[in-house]
Amino acid sequence: MALKIRLTRGGAKKRPYYRIVVADARAPRDGRFIDKVGAYDPMKAKDDPARIVLDNEKIQSWLAKGAQPTDRVLRFLDQAGLAKRPTRSNPQKGEPGEKAKERAAKRAEKAAAPAEDAAA
C-alpha cells in the first residue's frame, strides 16, 4: 500500500483549512485517511506559529515506514527540519515562447526600418 502525507481540505467556502494526514494514495483527497499528523491554516499570518502545526514524532515514524509527502507538505517539513526538499532549477522557465519571440523580432524589425530610412 502506497502511503502519502498530504493535505485534506476543510473549512467553509472561501475560508480554507487543511489537515495534514497520512492516507492511502488511492483514497480521495477528502476521503478516508489513516492518521492525522498536523494542520495548516492559510488564513493566518505567515509569521503566526499556529499557521502550520505538525506532530513531529508521528511524521518521523510515518516517514520511516515509507510514507511519501506531497510537494506542499514537503515544503512544510523542510521548514520544520524534518525532511530535506531538493532544490529545483529550471533556467528556461522565464524564457518567452516561440510566438512571443516572433512578435519581438517583428517589433525590432519595425523599429529598425525608420532608423535606416533616416540614416539613408
Side-chain angles (χ1 to χ4, degrees):
M1 172 168 46
L3 296 175
K4 289 277 189 185
I5 302 175
R6 65 182 183 199
L7 299 173
T8 62
R9 192 180 193 280
K13 181 179 177 183
K14 308 260 186 186
R15 306 273 309 160
Y17 182 83
Y18 297 93
R19 289 187 299 182
I20 301 170
V21 299
V22 177
D24 183 2
R26 298 169 294 185
R29 180 193 73 177
D30 297 335
R32 191 176 59 199
F33 63 91
I34 300 168
D35 195 8
K36 180 178 180 262
V37 295
Y40 167 55
D41 189 355
M43 301 300 288
K44 294 193 176 180
K46 291 194 181 206
D47 58 348
D48 189 352
R51 181 179 168 101
I52 302 170
V53 178
L54 299 171
D55 188 341
N56 296 344
E57 294 169 6
K58 281 185 178 181
I59 291 172
Q60 286 176 337
S61 69
W62 281 111
L63 288 173
K65 292 174 187 171
Q68 295 294 315
T70 58
D71 291 338
R72 178 59 52 183
V73 173
L74 188 57
R75 284 176 180 257
F76 299 152
L77 299 181
D78 189 32
Q79 287 174 354
L82 296 173
K84 184 70 178 144
R85 182 172 161 257
T87 56
R88 295 181 179 180
S89 176
N90 185 359
Q92 298 171 344
K93 182 178 181 182
E95 201 172 296
E98 289 182 29
K99 292 282 188 180
K101 287 180 184 176
E102 289 174 13
R103 287 190 298 265
K106 285 183 182 177
R107 263 190 254 120
E109 205 174 281
K110 281 184 180 180
E116 288 176 7
D117 292 339

